[in-house]
Amino acid sequence: MSAESFQRESSEFTNPNLEVLLTEEQIAVRVRELGAQITAEYREGELVLVGVLKGSCVFLADLMRAIDRQLTIDFMSVSSYKDGTESTGDVEILKDLSNPIRDKNVIVVEDIIDTGQTLGRLLDILGTRGARSVKLAAFLDKPEPRIKKEVKIDYCGFVIPNHFVVGYGLDAAGRYRNLPFIARVKNPAEA
Ligand code: IMP
Ligand code: MG
């Protein structure tokens, strides 16, 4: 049995609680476009892609292979303090970068921007470290919940409606990150 048919027949792919919003093929086309755009826009200087763990890992892996120039990668992990279900805007750095970003061109790579609170704070923090530039690549943009903090997305994969989605790195309670497509969770209480 090929790896593909094994995956297609597994329960995660036939889960009735999931509705595919973006297929593997649509995602591949868009990520190649973003990679070409970044390749064209960064002609000189050092480029470092900073993945925000864990959700960005799949997007980062595809995006970096679509960029045709020298680059390095690094990772950060942050937790946002929530006041109930509301993000308070405070973030704690759980894992910081391994290398300094002074004088480098930084692209922060995120899975999804929801309220923008976490990323807004993270960009503020990175902005104090002497980078030559700091830009943001987000695979998904859910603009609707963005009331408290405006975040400029320089490289956006797709704009989606205000649904809870999983796959392509995004999780529900840690699950579904390995799905190669983006799916809407019809009933989040059962995800
Ligand atoms: P915010 O922009 O500070 O509200 O937080 C964004 C983070 O919440 C993302 O990095 C995801 O980890 C998570 N998140 C937001 N919306 C979704 C979703 O639809 N599915 C899975 N995770 C989500
Ligand atoms: Mg995240």
Side-chain angles (χ1 to χ4, degrees):
M1 189 195 283
S2 72
E4 191 174 75
S5 64
F6 168 74
Q7 280 195 341
R8 301 298 166 194
E9 288 160 21
S10 81
S11 57
E12 301 283 52
F13 279 76
T14 53
N15 186 330
N17 195 22
L18 300 183
E19 180 200 353
V20 176
L21 283 188
L22 298 167
T23 67
E24 208 173 340
E25 292 73 23
Q26 286 174 303
I27 293 170
V29 169
R30 184 66 189 126
V31 173
R32 275 199 296 274
E33 286 173 358
L34 290 175
Q37 189 188 344
I38 291 170
T39 306
E41 289 181 11
Y42 288 81
R43 293 280 178 199
E44 52 192 46
E46 281 186 65
L47 176 62
V48 53
L49 304 184
V50 172
V52 184
L53 294 171
K54 303 171 188 169
S56 71
C57 68
V58 179
F59 179 41
L60 178 71
D62 284 347
L63 183 65
M64 70 174 166
R65 286 177 291 176
I67 299 173
D68 186 17
R69 60 114 59 214
Q70 224 175 62
L71 58 78
T72 58
I73 63 168
D74 209 335
F75 293 97
M76 277 186 96
S77 178
V78 295
S79 92
S80 45
Y81 289 106
K82 303 233 169 181
D83 177 11
T85 55
E86 284 283 288
S87 184
T88 61
D90 287 337
V91 301
E92 182 189 6
I93 297 176
L94 301 177
K95 185 221 169 291
D96 208 333
L97 299 172
S98 303
N99 293 110
I101 53 170
R102 176 160 296 280
D103 299 329
K104 295 178 186 170
N105 292 308
V106 175
I107 301 179
V108 175
V109 180
E110 238 310 24
D111 51 359
I112 187 166
I113 309 294
D114 189 10
T115 66
Q117 298 259 95
T118 312
L119 241 286
R121 275 297 295 142
L122 185 61
L123 292 173
D124 290 345
I125 292 167
L126 293 180
T128 65
R129 296 188 180 180
R132 182 168 159 183
S133 65
V134 180
K135 292 201 174 185
L136 172 62
F139 180 63
L140 298 176
D141 180 16
K142 255 200 291 197
E144 250 178 84
R146 205 124 66 248
I147 16 168
K148 292 188 189 130
K149 181 123 188 167
E150 212 33 71
V151 176
K152 177 172 176 276
I153 304 175
D154 303 284
Y155 306 100
C156 176
F158 298 90
V159 177
I160 60 163
N162 191 17
H163 294 136
F164 192 79
V165 294
V166 294
Y168 201 68
L170 288 124
D171 73 304
R175 253 178 83 190
Y176 304 115
R177 293 193 197 275
N178 57 323
L179 296 178
F181 48 78
I182 289 287
R184 175 175 83 91
V185 178
K186 292 182 197 164
N187 183 356
E190 284 173 19

